[in-house]
Amino acid sequence: MPGNPVLCHLLEGGVCMATFAYKARNWDGKIVSAEMEGESKEVCIAKLREKGYFVTNITEKKGSGGISLSFLQRGVSSQEVCIFARQFATMIGSGVPLVRCLTILQAQAENPTFKKIISQIRSDVEGGATFSKSLEKHPRVFSDLFCSLVKAGEVGGILDQILERLADYLESSENLKSKVKGALTYPVVVFAIAGLVVLALVLFVLPQFKEIFLGMNVELPMATQILLGTSDFMIAWWFIIIPAIIAVPILIYNFFQTKTGARIFDTNILRVPAIGLMMRKVAVAKFTRTLGTLIASGVPILQALEVTSQTAGNVVVAEAVDKTRVSIREGESIADPLKNSGVFPPMVVQMIAVGEETGELDKMLSKIADFYDTEVDNAVKGLTSIIEPIVIVFMGVVIGGIVLAVFMPMLKLVNAT
């Protein structure tokens, strides 16, 4: 397999196996020097330990890994992580040892990428690392929130309860995300289809009518002249216009991924009528659900706020949470800085203040999250009911305008005769 890196990648479900040179002591205490192939150092060390070797040194041979095709790897979805947490909680709660749980979950995983990650986690745990530290090596799959909660579960000896709580949280987050996507996907798809229809009319249909118009010997209406001019321009410069139509959205998206772009987008999206209200409710629901889950799991408040800030998904909310963390460090309550931020509704601030006073902040945050989940659901339905007629009217005006501009010269000719 090392001679064929592409075949190796396909068989292993990810990056080609690398070659490692190692030194180890066997059961007799003798030093053994050799080479072996493996996905990582950790995997090789685990395999050598199974053979009874104690590894003293291991290094990867440069250039041994062949061609890396990691960009072809299938990602790990939130749904798969949620199922992982749910099954793990069930097995841990039933008394199954940690390593055995990982072995079973690795065998059951259908996603080759996730299977490999679970295998690496199992090897790390067998090598003496804690479960939470092993998870932290895979930040693209297991978030800071996930790792922080698992660490709290390990310290408190309630890992099964923490994993159940994590699974509930992930399910709630996915439901929230799917609602927002459902509300925004419909208009995006419709506008994209409308754009393609208009592009096809301008590039392929209008040129056919141009010859007819030229033979009519009538003065073309202004709308028709503009439409034909647009068609001629797009046909002449199609090699620039079409790539620009593809490139501009990508550049805008990449800009909004930067710190400056994210700040501009997150600040202004909250001001957009209807959509801004929905996004504010989504942000409050996510904030309260995340913070409530962390506090209920025994994570210290400052650490919980730090994780909540990192997973907020909105720069404005994240900054408000960071200011809250600074204020708490200086001895203030949670409610006051949240109120001063202007991001959170008065009702939320008041309920959090009551939760602090009664010592049941986690329960109060959970109630707020449940309430705002319902509010998001209602906001999505309301937004959808508003967007649908707007989209229909927009498509009717655009496509109807083009058709009218095409037939106006013909009607003018008929009236002239």
Side-chain angles (χ1 to χ4, degrees), residues 102-118:
L102 290 167
T103 303
I104 294 171
L105 291 172
Q106 179 188 346
Q108 290 181 350
E110 296 180 359
N111 184 338
T113 303
F114 201 23
K115 185 185 288 286
K116 180 183 293 184
I117 288 171
I118 297 173

Side-chain angles (χ1 to χ4, degrees), residues 17 45 92 114 117 203 412 417:
M17 304 272 278
I45 292 172
I92 289 289
F114 201 23
I117 288 171
L203 292 178
K412 192 173 183 179
T417 56

Side-chain angles (χ1 to χ4, degrees), residues 280 316 319-321 323-324 327 330 332-346 348-350:
R280 189 180 295 272
V316 178
E319 289 178 349
V321 175
K323 290 178 182 177
T324 302
S327 299
E330 294 173 354
E332 293 186 32
S333 64
I334 298 176
D336 290 339
L338 289 180
K339 180 181 178 181
N340 296 333
S341 70
V343 175
F344 299 91
V348 174
V349 176
Q350 291 172 7

Side-chain angles (χ1 to χ4, degrees), residues 16 23 49 53 72 74 79-80 113 117-118 136 152 166 174 189 235 263 288 303 318 366 381 417:
C16 186
K23 290 184 180 180
R49 282 177 176 165
Y53 290 173
L72 295 177
R74 174 184 168 189
Q79 185 66 28
E80 288 173 315
T113 303
I117 288 171
I118 297 173
E136 288 174 2
L166 258 174
E174 279 301 300
V189 171
I235 291 172
R263 180 185 298 278
T288 51
Q303 184 182 344
S366 180
K381 292 176 182 176
T417 56

Side-chain angles (χ1 to χ4, degrees), residues 162-397:
I162 294 294
L163 288 169
E164 282 285 358
R165 197 169 288 152
L166 258 174
D168 292 337
Y169 170 82
L170 291 172
E171 287 174 356
S172 299
S173 297
E174 279 301 300
N175 288 336
L176 191 64
K177 193 185 299 181
S178 64
K179 290 174 185 176
V180 177
K181 283 184 178 179
L184 301 180
T185 299
Y186 173 76
V188 170
V189 171
V190 172
F191 281 125
I193 293 173
L196 291 174
V197 170
V198 171
L199 200 61
L201 288 173
V202 171
L203 292 178
F204 303 109
V205 178
L206 283 177
Q208 305 299 322
F209 282 91
K210 186 177 181 180
E211 299 298 327
I212 300 173
F213 295 153
L214 292 175
M216 286 182 176
N217 294 323
V218 294
E219 185 180 354
L220 298 177
M222 182 60 68
T224 308
Q225 292 180 34
I226 293 172
L227 201 59
L228 289 175
T230 304
S231 177
D232 291 339
F233 175 79
M234 294 186 70
I235 291 172
W237 298 95
W238 66 268
F239 54 90
I240 294 177
I241 294 171
I242 292 179
I245 292 173
I246 298 171
V248 169
I250 295 174
L251 291 174
I252 292 173
Y253 174 80
N254 288 334
F255 171 70
F256 284 141
Q257 297 305 302
T258 64
K259 189 174 182 179
T260 303
R263 180 185 298 278
I264 293 171
F265 180 82
D266 291 341
T267 301
N268 290 283
I269 192 66
L270 296 177
R271 299 172 182 170
V272 178
I275 294 177
L277 180 61
M278 183 186 72
M279 297 306 294
R280 189 180 295 272
K281 290 178 178 179
V282 168
V284 172
K286 188 171 185 180
F287 164 77
T288 51
R289 179 78 65 192
T290 305
L291 185 59
T293 302
L294 288 162
I295 292 174
S297 302
V299 178
I301 184 64
L302 290 176
Q303 184 182 344
L305 286 168
E306 182 179 4
V307 173
T308 304
S309 172
Q310 294 170 355
T311 58
N314 185 293
V315 173
V316 178
V317 175
E319 289 178 349
V321 175
D322 285 335
K323 290 178 182 177
T324 302
R325 188 159 56 93
V326 172
S327 299
I328 290 174
R329 190 182 288 118
E330 294 173 354
E332 293 186 32
S333 64
I334 298 176
D336 290 339
L338 289 180
K339 180 181 178 181
N340 296 333
S341 70
V343 175
F344 299 91
M347 184 200 76
V348 174
V349 176
Q350 291 172 7
M351 292 183 71
I352 289 175
V354 171
E356 281 187 291
E357 292 175 4
T358 58
E360 296 186 342
L361 181 58
D362 55 332
K363 294 180 181 178
M364 192 63 74
L365 288 167
S366 180
K367 290 178 181 178
I368 297 171
D370 291 340
F371 173 78
Y372 272 91
D373 280 345
T374 306
E375 286 289 295
V376 170
D377 198 18
N378 294 333
V380 167
K381 292 176 182 176
L383 186 62
T384 304
S385 64
I386 294 172
I387 287 176
E388 286 182 0
I390 292 175
V391 169
I392 293 170
V393 170
F394 172 80
M395 290 184 64
V397 169

